[in-house]
């Protein structure tokens, strides 16, 4: 069962917990795969992963993600030059797991907080130029018994570095 966004979206759509994929029956696996293929074939979803050419590890380096988004912005500006009413190619940009963008090609050995700061500063400028929202997902630490450390800022891995540039930070909890 490939780890891609399509099966995850299929699980959400079908009300199944993707984290329990190993417990799915053969029929459930097939149902999720089939729906995932439908999502992919609709052409409404484009997944860019670390194999994005020509940049190695494009989705785990600041420069890689920046290049992907700058290319998208350049294409949109070229479309606008031809048609001022041109729609963006994407209705939303989703970056899953921001904390995985930990390296800098131009500044190897930079601390994670520095790379995340550059990334969030870039995203802060990008969303003002590209006419679609940028949604960033991140990993949360589990709730603790200490109420001082249960705030979202403390529970987001590298939270202070991320929330400084965020317009909104929220936690979505699964219903019991």
């Amino acid at each position: 069962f490939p780890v891609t966004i399509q099966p995850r979206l299929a699980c959400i759509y079908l009300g199944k917990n993707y984290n329990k994929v190993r417990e799915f029956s053969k029929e459930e696996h097939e149902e999720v795969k089939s729906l995932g293929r439908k999502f992919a074939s609709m052409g409404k979803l484009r997944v860019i992963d670390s194999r994005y050419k020509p940049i190695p590890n494009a989705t785990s380096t600041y420069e890689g993600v920046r290049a992907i988004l700058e290319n998208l912005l350049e294409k949109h500006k070229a479309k606008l030059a031809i048609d001022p009413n041109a729609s963006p190619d994407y209705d939303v940009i989703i970056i899953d797991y921001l904390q995985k963008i930990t390296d800098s090609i131009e500044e190897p050995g930079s601390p994670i907080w520095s790379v995340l700061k550059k990334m969030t500063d870039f995203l802060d400028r990008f969303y003002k130029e590209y006419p679609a929202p940028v949604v960033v997902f991140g990993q949360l630490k589990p709730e603790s018994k200490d109420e001082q450390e249960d705030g979202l800022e403390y529970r987001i891995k590298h939270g202070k570095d991320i929330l400084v540039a965020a317009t909104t930070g929220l936690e979505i909890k699964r219903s019991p």
Side-chain angles (χ1 to χ4, degrees):
F1 206 83
V3 180
T4 65
I5 195 70
Q6 288 92 349
R8 288 177 186 267
L9 290 173
C11 284
I12 291 168
Y13 183 82
L14 296 167
K16 298 183 182 305
N17 185 344
Y18 183 80
N19 294 323
K20 295 185 178 182
V21 70
R22 296 187 193 286
E23 300 168 17
F24 288 3
S25 68
K26 186 176 180 179
E27 292 80 19
E28 288 174 310
H29 273 283
E30 197 48 50
E31 181 181 28
V32 169
K33 278 192 217 178
S34 175
L35 188 56
R37 284 190 295 267
K38 284 181 186 174
F39 285 151
S41 69
M42 291 169 59
K44 298 283 184 185
L45 176 68
R46 178 165 179 220
V47 177
I48 296 174
D49 63 16
S50 61
R51 296 169 292 195
Y52 181 81
K53 298 200 184 332
I55 305 162
N57 300 317
T59 57
S60 63
T61 64
Y62 162 70
E63 292 81 6
V65 175
R66 185 187 71 202
I68 291 166
L69 295 175
E70 284 176 344
N71 287 340
L72 180 62
L73 185 57
E74 285 176 32
K75 287 179 186 176
H76 182 66
K77 287 180 177 179
K79 282 174 58 177
L80 287 175
I82 296 167
D83 177 4
N85 297 317
S87 298
D89 288 339
Y90 300 99
D91 295 328
V92 65
I93 308 296
I94 298 174
I95 298 177
D96 188 18
Y97 206 167
L98 180 67
Q99 295 97 330
K100 288 286 189 181
I101 305 169
T102 57
D103 297 313
S104 171
I105 296 168
E106 295 167 1
E107 297 176 30
S110 293
I112 293 172
W113 67 264
S114 173
V115 175
L116 287 172
K117 172 143 184 21
K118 284 179 19 176
M119 189 74 253
T120 56
D121 287 349
F122 173 79
L123 291 173
D124 191 41
R125 291 186 306 275
F126 175 82
Y127 94 90
K128 293 172 184 168
E129 291 187 63
Y130 192 78
V134 177
V135 178
V136 178
F137 293 120
Q139 181 179 359
L140 288 177
K141 298 174 191 173
E143 292 183 55
S144 73
K145 299 198 189 286
D146 182 354
E147 289 185 26
Q148 290 289 335
E149 293 188 10
D150 269 349
L152 191 59
E153 178 180 325
Y154 296 101
R155 293 190 49 234
I156 295 176
K157 191 174 177 183
H158 305 291
K160 288 183 180 180
D161 305 320
I162 294 169
L163 289 175
V164 166
T167 304
T168 303
L170 61 101
E171 177 180 3
I172 302 171
K173 293 188 176 188
R174 184 184 301 267
S175 330

